[in-house]
Amino acid sequence: MEKVGTCADEGNSQPKLLHEKHICQEKANEERIMHSEKYISDFSNIYSTDLLPTRNGEKCTEQFLIEVLRILLNHIKKTYDGESKVLDFHHPHQLLEGLEGFNLELSDQPEPLEQILVDCSDTLKYSIKTGHPRYFNQLSCGLDIIGLAGEWLTATANTNMFTYEIAPVFIIMEEIVLKKMQEIIGWGENEADGIFSPGGTISNLYSLQAARYKYFPMVKTKGMAALPQIVIFTSEQSHYSFKKASAILGIGTDNVIAIKCDERGKMIPSDLEDKILKAKRQGQHPFYVSATAGTTVYGAFDPLITIADICKRYGLWMHVDAAWGGGLLLSKKHRYKMNGIERANSVTWNPHKIMGVPLQCSAILIRQKGLLQACNQQCADYLFQMDKPYDTAYDTGDKTIQCGRHVDIFKLWLMWKAKGSCGFELQINRCLELSEYLYNKLQSKSNFELVFRDKPEYTNVCFWYIPPSLEHVPRDKEWKARLHKIAPQIKARMMEEGTVMVSYQPQGDKPNFFRMVFSNPASKKSDVDFLLEEIERLGKGL
Amino acid sequence: MEKVGTCADEGNSQPKLLHEKHICQEKANEERIMHSEKYISDFSNIYSTDLLPTRNGEKCTEQFLIEVLRILLNHIKKTYDGESKVLDFHHPHQLLEGLEGFNLELSDQPEPLEQILVDCSDTLKYSIKTGHPRYFNQLSCGLDIIGLAGEWLTATANTNMFTYEIAPVFIIMEEIVLKKMQEIIGWGENEADGIFSPGGTISNLYSLQAARYKYFPMVKTKGMAALPQIVIFTSEQSHYSFKKASAILGIGTDNVIAIKCDERGKMIPSDLEDKILKAKRQGQHPFYVSATAGTTVYGAFDPLITIADICKRYGLWMHVDAAWGGGLLLSKKHRYKMNGIERANSVTWNPHKIMGVPLQCSAILIRQKGLLQACNQQCADYLFQMDKPYDTAYDTGDKTIQCGRHVDIFKLWLMWKAKGSCGFELQINRCLELSEYLYNKLQSKSNFELVFRDKPEYTNVCFWYIPPSLEHVPRDKEWKARLHKIAPQIKARMMEEGTVMVSYQPQGDKPNFFRMVFSNPASKKSDVDFLLEEIERLGKGL
């Protein structure tokens, strides 16, 4: 065996072993391929018609894709470069008018590949660096390199999840990952079913639709006209997807009954029980409760065990919307917060959130084999032939509300292989440590105020910044109205300067506050410090 | 300026100009980077935790992604290499058990990147080469290199379509492309709206839901209970998505009324009118007709003008499901087949089909501004704040039935830039020429039989292969039953041998036939010849 050396740069705490012999050669070549300006090919007279499948298009294809890689690597490096900005803000009309030659209009005639490469660079230049350590704007932040490789491969495989016939490997991976997720929830082997869907809202719709079919199977053929007035229950701080889904399913948003929350955003079970009884008295037909594990704003976990007891008492379907919280099941330290989830009939769990999987990756898990299939199948002859040479139980496409379905599984499978469950656990625990760090810092600062006092259970930390102009002023209605305008103004300045991105919003009668979330493995304590300093810097004169 | 040379290999009819000076250097380097086995780094002790955002992870990230690119390029080259197979078939249980060390099970512990790279290679090895010139299995075949680059960039940008705030460039691109598509349909400027959705079935659902809301806006809050018995009409050969959507929306599949088709699969307008009148007599409430432009099996175009007249007469919403046919609007030669589409209230159009855009890319276009927004919006405070510093009309996410939405627009936009409308036109016209070539060939062969005699209007060609054992036999019930088994057996052998993939199916009382479609720009006449020879070779002994 050859002697091995290290490719780690000076100061790297984790040395990596590589064949020494190849290192110099490799570095030199990469430098030339990836960095040197001199080395760019001239694509000014090459067109898409020169690429594969055109005869002899192999070389051009390779060169073009290497150039694309160079642009993407440049974006990745800038994303993680401490000096770069999160965004370079421009208004919609500026983009529409064309920025420095970045013309978005389409034409009849083709552009040479040189222009296409410039367009790729420009697109990234004016996009948000969602993997940047100071991008805290959404529940899905970060850019996982393994997940990214998974997406590139998925795009290259360019297939569809309808049948095993055309997606054999991905269909099996989906089965394996779904089983793993079901096992982590605590469901028995072979007890459950599931599918990856285009996002948490659609996953929640799946659960509501499956539950409706379970209680009222005639709905599939006869429609809602054959049903009594069905009503569902979810907390006032749950995600708006239950209203969306009820509007779509023909249940109607008036039949979504909001349950009160305590001051930190957890559903109050006694209010749930009261409202179930009230609905029954009014002749409505309760059938479905959605509890939330990790609310969007406060990161609250509803009391699942008590809710499960209530659902059992009244014979209701229990759904847990763990789109945001699901990943916490991988943390031995924190998963107790979701005790009771194993009693749910269905669970939404988005690996594209705290687990850091690239968008989109959302699973709906249903604790009843065959229900999705019965609810959704239409047996199209052109896809789901029964006289195929393999076990057609693997043609899972007829379980879905879609026909074609994007391959969302591979990146998650690959990340799970690369990190192991332990790797996800470490990554998630670190996000919770950061939220505790922010919480402690906020408590020690007099010009910041927490929206609720308790230590956060998850990575959401909600707070106000109180500028000097509002510090020694009576806290009356006018004060509240003025405070309401502070966060949007600071956010606007943040975007203008491009230094950091964080979300804000009002809630009930609470004026606009900042909602911090941690889901980006790139974020560090110094980024938290930066955020607070930046809020002070941008907001102190308001 | 430097002297320019050509990078084209001998025999290439389209020479390309490149800076001569760089060519040799480039070729030599690429050889070393992309091909040489000796050149592979040792990733056996490198883990995902060594990649970015880990400190000093830049080099490892770059090397890893270059290795991934090498694997993907290898797959692309094999896809277009005339000698390679379309697939390497294995049964589900074989993949589950693990093939030659390809272990799909997940574990607690991480795998080194060396294993991750092997997993990537194995995943592609056992997947279908959907860009292969002899992959004819679905309406979406092919692997467009520009589209592929677009998907890689989309994955690297890793954002979400909910707001302009986090997807500024992609939101504007979506607006521009939707306008272009509306203009191509023939709608007036600023008359229409639209959105990209996760596939044609969801796009069709959007249209049905928007139409329902338009006629019965109370459905959003009160549900279907507040409506009369609404019914919809679509041809018996239309896509099954209307049944799926009706089941989901709570309309019920019994309220989807099937209209008869003529022998080549076109909706018979007189039957539509009869059934509308019959429904009215029965106290049902007709409100929606879906015509198909390019049926899934026969590739038939419904008579849109006559259907538009009927819809106008009875005040019904006219939808055109042009998921498959939409691209034909770009062909000056063929677009007359869709005359009348400009009178539709909504159109589904999937650029991921005949236009060759990678999966997924589907648009729903609605000829009424504001309807999607009114129908779907729920005004979530945490996303759609009204006090933002830019024009929030560009926060299009509340128009959708989703919350998070994958960026499907960039690849299409980039392909449009690279090809121009003209490029799409050429590509599509060539697919139609191939179907005519196949049609002519089939007419000249006595052991093949067309499912319908007329020249195809689109790229679908449906036919039976009659093996010698069925040639001189009375065409009775038993003959039909035997013929029914021929296509599945040939298909099973095709998959076993991996040489070609084509779909088959029964339709009504017609026994299993092959459905050929052309959407793959890589396919040539020689591939058509190969297909027929292969069917004969595999089927003659049956």
Side-chain angles (χ1 to χ4, degrees), chain A residues 26 39 41 62 77 491, chain B residues 26 39 41 62 77 165:
Chain A
E26 188 171 84
Y39 199 64
S41 304
E62 188 168 313
K77 285 176 194 169
K491 171 70 177 272
Chain B
E26 190 171 81
Y39 199 63
S41 304
E62 187 167 312
K77 286 177 194 168
E165 183 175 329

Side-chain angles (χ1 to χ4, degrees), chain B residues 26 46 120 175 190 205 285 309 330 345 378 415 463 500 508:
Chain B
E26 190 171 81
I46 303 186
C120 286
E175 174 170 287
N190 294 319
L205 181 145
H285 200 109
D309 289 341
L330 288 156
N345 298 94
Q378 296 294 341
M415 283 173 68
F463 62 89
V500 60

Side-chain angles (χ1 to χ4, degrees), chain A residues 474-491:
Chain A
R475 297 200 160 193
D476 55 11
K477 211 175 148 191
E478 197 209 317
W479 181 86
K480 218 167 163 177
R482 283 172 64 194
L483 182 60
H484 187 65
K485 290 181 180 160
I486 299 298
Q489 286 182 77
I490 294 174
K491 171 70 177 272

Side-chain angles (χ1 to χ4, degrees), chain A residues 168-382:
Chain A
V169 183
F170 302 129
I171 292 280
I172 300 295
M173 284 174 176
E174 183 170 64
E175 174 170 287
I176 287 171
V177 174
L178 286 169
K179 278 197 175 169
K180 185 83 179 174
M181 292 170 88
Q182 288 154 4
E183 179 195 316
I184 290 168
I185 288 172
W187 289 345
E189 207 182 338
N190 294 319
E191 182 183 25
D193 203 346
I195 205 90
F196 279 80
S197 95
T201 292
I202 301 289
S203 289
N204 285 337
L205 182 145
Y206 262 110
S207 88
L208 188 48
Q209 191 210 2
R212 179 177 70 174
Y213 178 78
K214 160 95 172 171
Y215 287 77
F216 309 99
M218 73 294 265
V219 73
K220 186 173 177 181
T221 50
K222 304 289 173 204
M224 286 291 291
L227 272 57
Q229 191 194 347
I230 58 175
V231 290
I232 74 166
F233 304 86
T234 188
S235 94
E236 59 189 7
Q237 294 203 19
S238 71
H239 193 257
Y240 70 104
S241 45
F242 296 96
K243 285 199 161 183
K244 275 222 164 169
S246 297
I248 296 161
L249 294 172
I251 293 171
T253 53
D254 286 355
N255 295 311
V256 181
I257 298 174
I259 309 302
K260 282 189 201 138
C261 291
D262 65 19
E263 68 130 25
R264 61 178 303 164
K266 289 168 177 285
M267 186 195 280
I268 300 172
S270 60
D271 192 52
L272 171 63
E273 191 154 17
D274 289 350
K275 285 187 172 144
I276 291 169
L277 291 169
K278 188 178 165 200
K280 282 175 171 274
R281 279 196 307 272
Q282 293 177 340
Q284 295 169 328
H285 200 109
F287 79 108
Y288 179 95
V289 175
S290 175
T292 311
T295 58
T296 312
V297 185
Y298 286 5
F301 291 88
D302 286 346
L304 301 183
I305 294 171
T306 321
I307 293 169
D309 289 341
I310 295 171
C311 287
K312 194 178 171 196
R313 194 169 311 139
Y314 298 98
L316 310 182
W317 181 284
M318 178 184 174
H319 175 64
V320 177
D321 177 4
W324 172 221
L328 212 59
L329 292 166
L330 288 156
S331 166
K332 287 184 279 295
K333 186 173 170 192
H334 296 286
R335 69 165 286 154
Y336 74 90
K337 295 167 187 170
M338 292 162 85
N339 282 350
I341 195 170
E342 69 286 354
R343 293 174 61 188
N345 298 94
S346 56
V347 172
T348 290
W349 174 351
N350 287 8
H352 71 215
K353 292 197 159 87
I354 195 81
M355 289 167 76
V357 179
L359 291 156
Q360 60 190 34
C361 193
S362 170
I364 173 67
L365 303 144
I366 304 235
R367 189 151 58 98
Q368 182 177 329
K369 269 252 183 286
L371 186 63
L372 278 175
Q373 182 83 7
C375 175
N376 287 309
Q377 81 177 345
Q378 295 294 344
C379 303
D381 277 338
Y382 79 98

Side-chain angles (χ1 to χ4, degrees), chain A residues 441-512:
Chain A
K441 255 200 110 141
L442 287 170
Q443 279 196 313
S444 72
K445 286 168 107 45
S446 64
N447 52 346
F448 286 88
E449 211 161 287
L450 289 158
V451 172
F452 59 88
R453 278 177 191 286
D454 300 338
K455 198 174 126 177
E457 284 185 291
Y458 202 27
T459 80
N460 309 48
V461 183
C462 297
F463 62 89
W464 288 284
Y465 166 69
I466 318 284
S469 68
L470 289 177
E471 223 166 338
H472 306 291
V473 177
R475 297 200 160 193
D476 55 11
K477 211 175 148 191
E478 197 209 317
W479 181 86
K480 218 167 163 177
R482 283 172 64 194
L483 182 60
H484 187 65
K485 290 181 180 160
I486 299 298
Q489 286 182 77
I490 294 174
K491 171 70 177 272
R493 291 179 179 191
M494 273 177 185
M495 289 182 67
E496 190 68 38
E497 304 219 3
T499 46
V500 60
M501 271 181 92
V502 60
S503 187
Y504 75 87
Q505 67 162 101
Q507 171 115 317
D509 62 349
K510 292 187 170 70
N512 277 317

